[in-house]
Amino acid sequence: MAVITNNDVVVLCLTPIICIFSDTTGADAEPFLIAMFIAANTASMALFIGNPTNIIVAEANDISFLSYSAWMGLPFLGAAVAGIAVLYLTSLHKIPQTIAIDMTIRPRDMLRKIRQAAIGAGILVSCLIALSVSSFFGVAVWIVTLPFGVAMLLVDSAIDIHTSRSTRTLSMIPEPVSVSEPDIQLHEFPAAPQLLAPSSVTAIAEPSDQPKSSGYCKTNLAKLLKRTFLSIIHTAEIRIPTVSAVLRRLPYGIIPFSLGMFIIVESLSQQGWTPRLAWVLKRMCSSPAAAVFIVGAITTLACNVLNNLPMSILFSRALQHPIFAQVDSSSRKGAMFALIIGSNVGANFTLVGSLAGLMFQGIASQKKREIGYFTFMRWCAPVMVAQLATACAILVAELAIVQQ
């Protein structure tokens, strides 16, 4: 699935499914979640569209879709085999031999709203097809996905509004009331209010002509805005419950994190760190093999400090700098594809290595599955090392064959 879409789509779709599978069968979800995440990041290096970092590097170096696939196909397969082998050895003891499945449960019964689920599945398939086709024409990913996302929200809103109107119409139909003799009770009228004595009128204080303080007005305004905001949210949860649930569960925390990392990278570039990085890489990349393994290792570590997207931008600029252009063409090509390997495999080290890791942790936490940073590293570090070494070794072999 990650080969034809990208790792973010796989994480968003399969993380809640695995959690529901665990709740239904009683199996431990942790090894399945880790295996899914590693597989998504590994398979994302196979094609041009598998990861935004692939697109950044490929577009910066004018790599076509077919050329990218030809170079990265075998490193992807090698990394996948290495990952499966290490996962088999490290997680076999945590996977039950048999899983009890209740055969009386029908998958159809698990769908809360069949009509919306069917329309949503159709929109998702259409979006995936459009992503695959658009990659041949160089269309930005967000241009393809945004219209489908908006269409899904509009469909959910229309169905929710129609459903809520039908529910209100049914609730307004009066129920039949049985008529019986009223139980009339006589009550005495309350006593008329006693008029104030003339002497007491003078005792009433006149209202103050002094204006209210600005702090009092600001407090009332803040309370009014808060009540209005809460009223809007409450109305939205009643009228459009599906859309409200979707918007409430979006990973908003990723936005400031990503924005901050991009600001840091742009600041480093403006301060002159790009040519310095290019000079360091030039000194270290004395041969194609050295370029592949060194750039692969450095970018793998760097994407767990900067996140893989801003890291890819920073290192792409360094590899295109005139200082690094003095390296031979084979070493430059090896460093470029090693950057792609590092940006994908490096996400299998810590949760901050990619946006998919942050989304993965957030969705798992919503499903009551807490996967901490050290737990994630304990699972993924051995896999990442084996995958990085295997993919880089295959890339070095490809460069050697092409040179001959």
Side-chain angles (χ1 to χ4, degrees):
M1 186 176 177
V3 173
I4 61 174
T5 58
N6 60 45
N7 56 343
D8 297 332
V9 173
V10 174
V11 169
L12 285 172
C13 293
L14 294 187
T15 302
I17 292 176
I18 293 174
C19 293
I20 294 173
F21 164 79
S22 173
D23 294 336
T24 305
T25 61
D28 186 6
E30 192 170 282
F32 297 98
L33 288 172
I34 296 296
M36 178 274 299
F37 185 82
I38 291 175
N41 286 319
T42 305
S44 64
M45 80 168 74
L47 294 182
F48 185 95
I49 61 173
N51 196 327
T53 60
N54 304 346
I55 300 173
I56 291 172
V57 179
E59 289 184 347
N61 295 275
D62 295 326
I63 304 173
S64 66
F65 185 90
L66 294 178
S67 177
Y68 178 96
S69 302
W71 277 97
M72 294 305 300
L74 289 178
F76 150 66
L77 292 176
V81 172
I84 292 172
V86 176
L87 276 174
Y88 180 81
L89 295 175
T90 57
S91 63
L92 184 63
H93 64 285
K94 285 203 169 188
I95 299 177
Q97 296 293 328
T98 58
I99 297 177
I101 300 177
D102 189 357
M103 301 304 295
T104 61
I105 298 177
R106 298 186 306 168
R108 182 185 178 89
D109 297 335
M110 304 300 292
L111 297 176
R112 299 177 181 176
K113 301 176 182 178
I114 298 177
R115 180 172 53 180
Q116 284 175 268
I119 296 175
I123 292 177
L124 175 61
V125 172
S126 302
C127 181
L128 297 181
I129 294 174
L131 280 172
S132 301
V133 174
S134 64
S135 61
F136 292 96
F137 301 98
V139 181
V141 174
W142 71 269
I143 296 178
V144 180
T145 56
L146 183 60
F148 287 98
V150 173
M152 189 72 252
L153 286 178
L154 292 176
V155 169
D156 286 338
S157 300
I159 295 177
D160 283 348
I161 292 173
H162 175 73
T163 305
S164 63
R165 284 180 179 176
S166 301
T167 305
R168 288 200 308 273
T169 302
L170 292 175
S171 63
M172 291 173 64
I173 298 177
E175 298 181 359
V177 181
S178 59
V179 180
S180 60
E181 293 185 2
D183 184 13
I184 301 175
Q185 294 182 359
L186 298 178
H187 300 276
E188 294 183 356
F189 290 102
Q194 190 173 8
L195 297 177
L196 293 175
S199 59
S200 62
V201 175
T202 58
I204 300 178
E206 294 292 333
S208 176
D209 293 333
Q210 297 179 355
K212 295 182 178 180
S213 64
S214 60
Y216 178 79
C217 295
K218 291 180 180 179
T219 303
N220 280 351
L221 179 60
K223 290 181 178 179
L224 178 61
L225 292 175
K226 182 179 179 180
R227 285 198 302 268
T228 305
F229 180 70
L230 293 177
S231 176
I232 293 173
I233 293 178
H234 180 68
T235 304
E237 289 178 348
I238 296 175
R239 299 289 180 85
I240 47 174
T242 304
V243 176
S244 300
V246 170
L247 296 178
R248 187 171 56 250
R249 294 168 62 181
L250 289 178
Y252 296 106
I254 293 175
I255 298 175
F257 172 81
S258 303
L259 186 61
M261 288 301 177
F262 277 110
I263 291 173
I264 292 174
V265 168
E266 292 298 333
S267 298
L268 292 175
S269 298
Q270 290 296 323
Q271 293 169 5
W273 280 101
T274 299
R276 289 177 174 83
L277 178 60
W279 181 83
V280 171
L281 293 176
K282 174 196 168 185
R283 296 294 299 268
M284 299 175 72
C285 298
S286 57
S287 65
V292 169
F293 280 99
I294 290 174
V295 172
I298 292 176
T299 54
T300 297
L301 296 175
C303 78
N304 291 280
V305 177
L306 298 174
N307 188 266
N308 60 353
L309 276 173
M311 181 279 299
S312 298
I313 295 174
L314 178 63
F315 275 80
S316 291
R317 291 175 179 175
L319 296 180
Q320 288 183 308
H321 198 273
I323 294 177
F324 190 79
Q326 301 172 14
V327 179
D328 63 278
S329 60
S330 182
S331 296
R332 290 201 306 271
K333 182 173 290 187
M336 177 183 62
F337 284 110
L339 168 58
I340 295 174
I341 293 173
S343 66
N344 287 271
V345 176
N348 292 334
F349 187 37
T350 65
L351 288 168
V352 299
S354 66
L355 297 182
L358 300 176
M359 290 189 293
F360 169 75
Q361 186 187 36
I363 297 172
S365 178
Q366 289 177 0
K367 299 296 182 181
K368 305 297 188 295
R369 302 298 193 285
E370 299 296 337
I371 299 179
Y373 285 88
F374 292 105
T375 301
F376 185 86
M377 289 179 62
R378 188 177 67 250
W379 275 98
C380 297
V383 180
M384 182 272 296
V385 173
Q387 288 183 323
L388 179 63
T390 304
C392 288
I394 294 174
L395 180 58
V396 169
E398 289 180 337
L399 291 170
I401 294 172
V402 171
Q403 274 186 328
Q404 295 179 355

